[in-house]
Structures are given as C-alpha cells and as structure tokens.
Amino acid sequence: MKLKKVDYKRTYEQMTGGLAALPAVERSLTWMDRILTILMIVSYAVVLVTVFGASWRASGMAAYGWYRVLPFILIPGSGFAAVSVIRLLVNRPRPYRTWAIHPLLHKEADGCSMPSRHVFSAAMIAMCVWRISAPAGAVYLAIAAVAAMLRVTGGVHYISDVVIGLLLGIGLGSLLFLF
C-alpha cells in the first residue's frame, strides 16, 4: 500500500483561505503571537511568585518556599532542554522552507520545526497554572491551543509539530502533580 503524498502548499492555501493577500491579517497574527508569548512569560513568573509566596507564608521559612517552587522550575526547564535537543536531532525543515508558501508569521529559521518549542512552553505553563487552579489551567490550555493554531496558520509549523509540542507540554507538565 502506497501512502499518498500531501500537497502541503495546497493544504496551507485552503487553510488560510487567501489571508496572505491581506497585510492587516499578517500584522494581526504577528501581534497576537507576540501578545500570547508575553502573556505566557508573565504568567509563568506569576506562578513562580505565587507558589513561593504561598509556601513561605504557610511555613514561615524561605527555604520551604524554594523547596516548593523547585518542581515548577526544574520540570519545565528540563522539558524545554529536552525539546530543544529533540528539535536539533530531528531538524525538520519549516513549511515555508519546504513548500512555496507565503507564511503569515515571519521567521528566519531553516529547520528545528519538530516539535514546536513555542507550543510546548505554552502547554507547560498552562500545566503550571493548572497545578495551582484547575479552572485557570483549563483556560491556559485553551490559550496554548490557540497558540498552536497560530503557529500552523502562520506557516511556521506543521500540524504534527504543534500537536507533539502540546502533548509533550501536557505530559511533562503532569509531573507537577507528583509534588
């Protein structure tokens, strides 16, 4: 049985529906991508401060605060490093390098598309938030899914790149519930 090769250029054009012809759409996607990135970075900092502060207040000891915050640093940090190594080993070309498409988000990278580190980080931060508050974590997972869609629609990742990044972030982030 032969597998049919997908014409990604055609798929991408169908997916974006001619949005590439509208400069305002490119600017909007770029700004949305930046805003979501900043939101996640700030949220992660708030998570670390919240966990540290709550632990310190509960115990009256700064050392206990650091003990409680360490999983929130070590798990995401080691996951980020592992995803970075996987990306280097796989070194999958980006869609805009392989296919003649006009990406709506602009990057200069040639490879390292698989898995999406951007989406991995968003999912991991969502899991950090979930560890503190399930309702807020669910909202952040939805935001991570929006970030994934932006990366695909923007033409900088394949769907498989973002799905694997999302699953790795959720899977490794689940380790936070052991602490």
Side-chain angles (χ1 to χ4, degrees):
M1 183 170 121
K2 282 189 171 185
L3 291 176
K4 183 180 172 186
K5 185 175 178 181
V6 175
D7 180 0
Y8 190 80
K9 180 179 181 349
R10 179 201 256 161
T11 302
Y12 184 73
E13 288 169 355
Q14 288 173 343
M15 188 172 29
T16 58
L19 294 175
L22 304 171
V25 170
E26 283 189 50
R27 286 192 302 273
S28 297
L29 284 177
T30 300
W31 277 106
M32 195 179 306
D33 187 56
R34 287 180 184 158
I35 289 167
L36 289 180
T37 301
I38 291 167
L39 171 69
M40 288 300 189
I41 292 168
V42 169
S43 298
Y44 181 58
V46 169
V47 163
L48 295 178
V49 169
T50 300
V51 170
F52 180 80
S55 300
W56 187 357
R57 281 192 303 278
S59 68
M61 298 182 297
Y64 188 68
W66 284 112
Y67 168 76
R68 296 294 296 161
V69 83
L70 271 177
F72 289 86
I73 295 171
L74 296 177
I75 293 171
S78 59
F80 188 84
V83 165
S84 296
V85 169
I86 292 168
R87 286 163 52 102
L88 288 172
L89 293 174
V90 173
N91 199 22
R92 182 182 200 181
R94 301 217 175 235
Y96 58 83
R97 295 290 186 208
T98 304
W99 301 91
I101 63 170
H102 176 78
L104 297 173
L105 291 175
H106 297 283
K107 287 189 71 77
E108 298 299 321
D110 288 330
C112 294
S113 179
M114 167 72 90
S116 169
R117 196 167 48 193
H118 202 97
V119 174
F120 165 80
S121 298
M124 179 61 79
I125 292 167
M127 294 305 289
C128 289
V129 172
W130 193 303
R131 179 65 178 85
I132 296 170
S133 165
V139 169
Y140 272 80
L141 274 179
I143 292 169
V146 168
M149 288 186 283
L150 273 173
R151 306 304 281 179
V152 172
T153 305
V156 296
H157 283 290
Y158 293 102
I159 293 171
S160 56
D161 298 343
V162 299
V163 167
I164 291 174
L166 198 61
L167 292 175
L168 285 171
I170 292 169
L172 290 174
S174 296
L175 295 175
L176 290 166
F177 291 88
L178 299 174
F179 299 93

